[in-house]
Amino acid sequence: MLGNILIALVAALHLYFMYLEMIAWDTPAGHRAFGLTPEFAKASKVLAANQGLYNGFLAAGLIWGLYLGEAGFTIKIFFLICVMAAGLFGAATVSRKILYVQAVPAVLALVALLLGW
């Protein structure tokens, strides 16, 4: 139960990331969220939208696993590992903050899922 709640929170986070990257990137909210200048945001808008789409796929996979219930156990594991990999890569290449915002919640959800919480 706790595992599924945490998975739902991770999915919601990724839907929010998708919104920020695909819709709000070149707005004051997007600038604040990512520490962007208006010039950089405008120049990188297409790249951010692409990244947002990937976050949407991660959310969709987690939601799919939740929808399937017990039958979605391995799907949830797979997509949580994908989220962790993305978070670790982002932390290593962009900002350590990504480790805490993306990877740690996925690790907590995976642990809870594997322990049957």
Side-chain angles (χ1 to χ4, degrees):
M1 178 66 160
L2 176 63
N4 284 334
I5 292 169
L6 292 175
I7 290 168
L9 290 172
V10 172
L13 276 173
H14 282 77
L15 289 173
Y16 180 62
F17 300 154
M18 181 184 76
Y19 164 77
L20 285 173
E21 293 166 346
M22 294 188 81
I23 297 167
W25 185 261
D26 197 15
T27 69
H31 301 168
R32 281 191 305 276
F34 296 104
L36 307 173
T37 64
E39 297 78 21
F40 180 80
K42 184 173 179 151
S44 60
K45 188 174 182 173
V46 173
L47 293 173
N50 189 37
Q51 185 171 302
L53 185 64
Y54 296 138
N55 278 310
F57 289 143
L58 292 173
L62 293 171
I63 292 165
W64 177 37
L66 289 170
Y67 173 77
L68 292 175
E70 290 299 316
F73 183 78
T74 55
I75 292 166
K76 292 180 242 183
I77 290 173
F78 173 78
F79 280 96
L80 286 171
I81 290 170
C82 289
V83 169
M84 291 181 334
L88 291 171
F89 185 77
T93 60
V94 178
S95 168
R96 184 170 291 181
K97 178 181 172 184
I98 296 171
L99 179 70
Y100 304 108
V101 174
Q102 188 173 22
V104 168
V107 169
L108 295 175
L110 181 62
V111 168
L113 181 67
L114 292 174
L115 292 177
W117 293 349

